[in-house]
Amino acid sequence: MDRNHQHRSQPIYYGAAYYDEYMPVSRVEDDMALMERAGMNVIRVAESTWSTWEPREGEFDFTRLYRVLDGARRHGISVIVGTPTYAIPPWLARKYPDILVETHTGPSRYGPRQNMDITHPGYRKNCEIIIRKLLEEVQPYENVIGFQLDNETKPYDTCGPRAQAMFLDWLKEKFGTVEAMNKAYGLAYWSNSLGCWEDMPDVRGTICGSLAAEFEAFQRHLVTEFLYWQRSIVDEYRRPDQFVTHNFDFDWKGCSYGIQPNVNHFDIMNGLTVAGCDIYHRSGGELTGMEASFCGDLIRSVNGGENFLVLETQAQGNTEWLPYPGQLRLQAFSLLASGAKQIEYWHWHSIHNGIENYWKGVLSHDFTPGVVYQEVCTIGQDLARLGEHLTGFRRKSRVAILVSNRSLTGIKHSATPSEATPQYNDCLWWLYDVLYRFNIACDILPDTVRDFSGYELVIVPCLYCAGEKLIGALRQYVEDGGHLLATFRSFFTDENLQIRHESQPYGMTDVFGVTYDNFTVPMDVPDVSGWMELLCPAENTEVLAVYNHPAYAGYAAATLHPFGQGSAAYLGTMLCRQKLEELLERLLPAFGIPLPTLRCPVIIKEGVNNLGRRMRYLLNYSDGPCAVPAPEDCVELLSGKTYSSGVEVPLEPWNAAILETADFQ
């Protein structure tokens, strides 16, 4: 079967996580009927309730699971089965008291989820037992379409004796000798040098940022290895048509935000067949679509540009997240416009007990199919009616943003003069926010990429840690005609977090045409915040911005410099949004990136569907109506109306339009 045909025959998956185990009453048949009426066609089950499936060691009871699987099958609903390993049962904690993870702040206690040491042999042994037993039970069900490994997995800051012994082996393999490590990490400082491997102290006490950052890289590796291990077990049971995914999450700042500090998404992707994610966003007057866009761009890029699964997003969610009418529908189309091929709410019903009992689902606590359910129904009807047009939506970006877990960790462990100093994700969000508002499409690349030739502009926010090969690749990219935009705190250290003793930005002074040796936190400097490098431009470097303060006269705040066939801009500070927008309005056209005429609150996502037709999602993130001129003759899919080029397409408040042209390929 050719790939396009396979995509065309596959619907957009739409559904919710479902927990019969949490219900105060049994209502599987009622719920499945409501889901079917809403146009839902998928649920996720099983990942949260190990103690239900195995209430006592070796005693298994899958009665509730059978009930859900059978009910879903009767109503034509597909099922994703999660491995139930992220919340251990009480008997397992009693059997292995040291299974509870020991962290930087001490040992964990039983009660919360994700409180175990994922390296513990007893944990792994019992994980394998429950995974195998669960997969045996679901094998007969043809409506099981895939498996989710664990749930938002992290290392949970494991740093007990076992993890530290494993870390020592990691260091031995990396460096070979203590002398090599001493030199790479600068351990002579404060007499931290090791005379032999046996001298290795508890890493929790280190004052060496290099060592602390390496331990976090090791912890991220533990997550990758753990999920690879689960995948190897699942592969023994799954059919060829069943996928394997994981619900990646992100950093958190009241909602999904930036890249995940404790996990390397790109590394883990090699152990999956399709990427999945959990995207949570602000609602009401604070809904901008930013979270759906950034997180979608990241996971689509992690998935090699292919469509991905949204395994969790909110229906009602936290108390302050109750959506205005229309916002749930708008957000669903925003996720599809970012490349999603599944939208799944967490969760179907609201929970009546526990810490998440006000994190509400599609149904409220009284199970009444209220206004949120009614809006869910309109989404399901649209997806069922338009599925063939919405599947396989692919986008091509001219701009890439390079992200780096090492730089995130490096900045975290660097000595900074103020708590106001922006962290890595703050800088990343600052830049992406303006591009999003400009309707500039982006891909997100890991710092392992060395070929940037497919992009006209590469942006590197706070690339604090950069090795020689990456620096060489970026230099070559600009020399060959590419355009580079870098920010403050870039090219400062090597991969081991050792600050270079050469001129900054290291290895790139001739590319950017700038150097600096002083930096500070701005005080009483208008239009900038967080961090300020006092840039000294070369003779042929164009100064784009200066610091409006008498003490810093003569220094540049932002510069542009030609290099080879391309150019490179450097931002030495975090400009306010208005100044950054003004700067990018000037730079983007010079970099060959056209500026769209429409901007936020109207967001445009453009691509091609599997029918070979150009698609444009028009998303109105405001409480006022507006109209957008049709860029060419098209059909608006939601209404079925046709529009000639230039005729205005109306957009109601918090609403969307989807334009499809004739065959494009």
Side-chain angles (χ1 to χ4, degrees):
M1 180 182 295
D2 69 85
R3 184 176 170 278
N4 277 350
H5 178 72
Q6 186 176 15
H7 274 298
R8 291 178 193 179
S9 62
Q10 179 183 331
I12 298 290
Y13 284 116
Y14 184 54
Y18 188 74
Y19 306 108
D20 177 59
E21 313 85 72
Y22 296 165
M23 293 286 192
V25 294
S26 177
R27 46 176 290 116
V28 170
E29 189 61 31
D30 291 340
D31 286 331
M32 296 299 152
L34 284 171
M35 288 183 189
E36 186 178 10
R37 188 190 311 165
M40 288 185 166
N41 55 12
V42 68
I43 57 175
R44 187 192 68 187
V45 302
E47 89 286 350
S48 291
T49 45
W50 186 344
S51 65
T52 300
W53 315 136
E54 191 179 10
R56 287 162 292 280
E57 184 176 11
E59 296 182 20
F60 300 97
D61 183 358
F62 292 101
T63 304
R64 288 180 176 270
L65 180 62
Y66 302 145
R67 188 159 62 199
V68 172
L69 293 174
D70 289 334
R73 182 164 54 186
R74 284 193 299 273
H75 289 270
I77 294 173
S78 298
V79 180
I80 300 170
V81 174
T83 59
T85 49
Y86 85 111
I88 62 174
W91 61 260
L92 190 56
R94 174 173 55 82
K95 181 176 182 179
Y96 300 107
D98 62 336
I99 204 172
L100 299 178
V101 65
E102 187 174 339
T103 72
H104 275 77
T105 57
S108 296
R109 296 180 183 275
Y110 187 80
R113 63 180 185 175
Q114 299 170 318
N115 58 353
M116 65 285 172
D117 182 347
I118 62 174
T119 71
H120 191 285
Y123 171 68
R124 291 289 186 96
K125 174 185 175 182
N126 284 275
C127 282
E128 182 169 357
I129 291 171
I130 188 62
I131 292 171
R132 290 186 181 279
K133 186 64 176 174
L134 174 65
L135 296 185
E136 288 171 1
E137 298 301 316
V138 304
Q139 270 190 316
Y141 288 88
E142 71 284 352
N143 59 329
V144 173
I145 59 171
F147 301 95
Q148 175 186 298
L149 306 179
D150 202 70
N151 180 81
E152 295 183 351
T153 312
K154 313 287 190 309
Y156 315 126
D157 192 30
T158 180
C159 49
R162 181 184 307 100
Q164 298 213 35
M166 294 170 68
F167 179 53
L168 182 58
D169 290 338
W170 167 280
L171 294 173
K172 289 177 181 178
E173 182 175 352
K174 179 172 182 174
F175 292 108
T177 66
V178 291
E179 290 77 16
M181 184 178 73
N182 289 338
K183 181 179 180 181
Y185 290 164
L187 291 176
Y189 182 75
W190 282 3
S191 197
N192 274 211
S193 297
L194 274 65
C196 60
W197 289 114
E198 288 73 20
D199 289 342
M200 182 69 186
D202 191 319
V203 74
R204 288 174 288 188
T206 188
I207 48 81
C208 174
S210 299
L211 192 60
E214 186 65 33
F215 185 68
E216 292 195 26
F218 161 75
Q219 289 181 317
R220 289 192 292 270
H221 166 76
L222 291 179
V223 178
T224 303
E225 184 276 329
F226 176 65
L227 293 177
Y228 279 24
W229 172 77
Q230 285 214 18
R231 164 71 188 273
S232 68
I233 299 172
V234 171
D235 276 352
E236 295 182 34
Y237 297 86
R238 72 182 181 97
R239 302 187 307 263
D241 63 311
Q242 290 174 317
F243 59 76
V244 181
T245 190
H246 175 71
N247 56 331
F248 291 123
D249 68 345
F250 309 89
D251 203 358
W252 189 263
K253 208 169 187 178
C255 59
S256 301
Y257 179 84
I259 65 172
Q260 172 53 249
N262 301 308
V263 173
N264 188 315
H265 292 162
F266 291 93
D267 283 353
I268 291 171
M269 188 59 218
N270 293 326
L272 309 175
T273 65
V274 61
C277 63
D278 297 348
I279 299 175
Y280 291 102
H281 53 86
R282 294 179 175 89
S283 293
E286 295 184 329
L287 180 66
T288 66
M290 172 81 162
E291 296 88 0
S293 183
F294 174 82
C295 298
D297 284 347
L298 174 56
I299 300 303
R300 186 187 68 254
S301 300
V302 167
N303 204 41
E306 296 296 322
N307 301 125
F308 59 92
L309 310 175
V310 175
L311 291 154
E312 293 183 19
T313 193
Q314 74 242 39
Q316 299 183 66
N318 280 333
T319 306
E320 65 270 23
W321 285 352
L322 182 67
Y324 292 165
Q327 287 189 341
L328 205 62
R329 191 164 178 268
L330 174 63
Q331 194 67 357
F333 292 127
S334 298
L335 293 169
L336 294 176
S338 291
K341 63 178 179 180
Q342 172 178 293
I343 300 169
E344 195 172 53
Y345 296 113
W346 202 90
H347 38 95
W348 171 249
H349 62 93
S350 299
I351 298 173
H352 295 77
N353 191 19
I355 198 170
E356 292 175 321
N357 54 8
Y358 283 156
W359 194 300
K360 294 177 67 179
V362 173
L363 301 185
S364 292
H365 293 98
D366 61 0
F367 301 122
T368 300
V371 293
V372 171
Y373 173 80
Q374 299 305 327
E375 192 164 320
V376 164
C377 288
T378 71
I379 301 166
Q381 291 161 8
D382 287 334
L383 297 183
R385 179 169 54 92
L386 302 173
E388 185 179 28
H389 300 267
L390 305 181
T391 55
F393 182 68
R394 303 182 300 282
R395 297 169 51 196
K396 181 171 176 56
S397 303
R398 304 165 78 173
V399 178
I401 300 179
L402 192 75
V403 296
S404 169
N405 277 102
R406 285 244 173 212
S407 293
L408 184 155
T409 310
I411 289 175
K412 170 186 171 183
H413 287 291
S414 65
T416 53
S418 169
E419 291 184 0
T421 301
Q423 291 299 304
Y424 180 88
N425 276 329
D426 299 323
C427 182
L428 173 60
W429 211 247
W430 166 65
L431 286 169
Y432 186 90
D433 175 63
V434 173
L435 295 171
Y436 172 71
R437 291 172 181 275
F438 278 9
N439 280 313
I440 303 293
C442 297
D443 290 342
I444 313 293
L445 305 180
D447 59 2
T448 54
V449 170
R450 299 293 179 263
D451 181 6
F452 306 101
S453 59
Y455 299 96
E456 295 179 46
L457 171 63
V458 173
I459 299 175
V460 289
C462 290
L463 188 62
Y464 192 67
C465 306
E468 299 288 348
K469 291 182 179 179
L470 178 54
I471 291 173
L474 290 169
R475 288 180 61 91
Q476 191 65 52
Y477 165 73
V478 179
E479 190 166 9
D480 291 343
H483 302 286
L484 180 66
L485 173 63
T487 76
F488 53 92
R489 307 199 80 178
S490 290
F491 309 102
F492 200 66
T493 78
D494 64 14
E495 305 99 312
N496 295 318
L497 206 56
Q498 287 293 287
I499 296 173
R500 265 86 176 225
H501 59 270
E502 295 87 353
S503 296
Q504 297 288 351
Y506 171 79
M508 300 291 283
T509 56
D510 56 338
V511 177
F512 293 113
V514 71
T515 60
Y516 69 92
D517 60 4
N518 285 311
F519 46 81
T520 187
V521 174
M523 298 178 62
D524 302 319
V525 183
D527 301 323
V528 304
S529 63
W531 189 263
M532 192 169 76
E533 294 169 356
L534 306 182
L535 305 180
C536 301
E539 187 173 337
N540 63 335
T541 301
E542 182 181 358
V543 175
L544 301 173
V546 297
Y547 297 112
N548 187 12
H549 192 285
Y552 307 119
Y555 294 110
T559 60
L560 177 65
H561 183 253
F563 183 76
Q565 301 300 309
S567 64
Y570 191 88
L571 309 183
T573 188
M574 184 174 276
L575 300 164
C576 68
R577 178 189 288 171
Q578 179 183 342
K579 294 298 181 182
L580 181 59
E581 287 182 352
E582 292 172 358
L583 190 68
L584 290 180
E585 282 178 334
R586 178 180 176 184
L587 285 177
L588 290 171
F591 292 157
I593 310 297
L595 285 173
T597 54
L598 286 170
R599 297 189 182 176
C600 189
V602 177
I603 297 300
I604 302 175
K605 301 285 188 179
E606 183 176 313
V608 178
N609 65 13
N610 271 327
L611 298 174
R613 298 170 186 168
R614 188 191 297 276
M615 299 270 292
R616 290 182 178 90
Y617 284 84
L618 309 180
L619 310 164
N620 182 12
Y621 279 97
S622 75
D623 57 5
C626 61
V628 177
E632 54 191 319
D633 294 350
C634 60
V635 175
E636 199 288 299
L637 295 176
L638 295 173
S639 66
K641 295 180 179 179
T642 58
Y643 291 89
S644 299
S645 178
V647 175
E648 290 192 333
V649 180
L651 280 174
E652 295 300 317
W654 308 113
N655 213 328
I658 307 174
L659 308 184
E660 182 185 67
T661 68
D663 286 4
F664 176 69
Q665 289 181 340

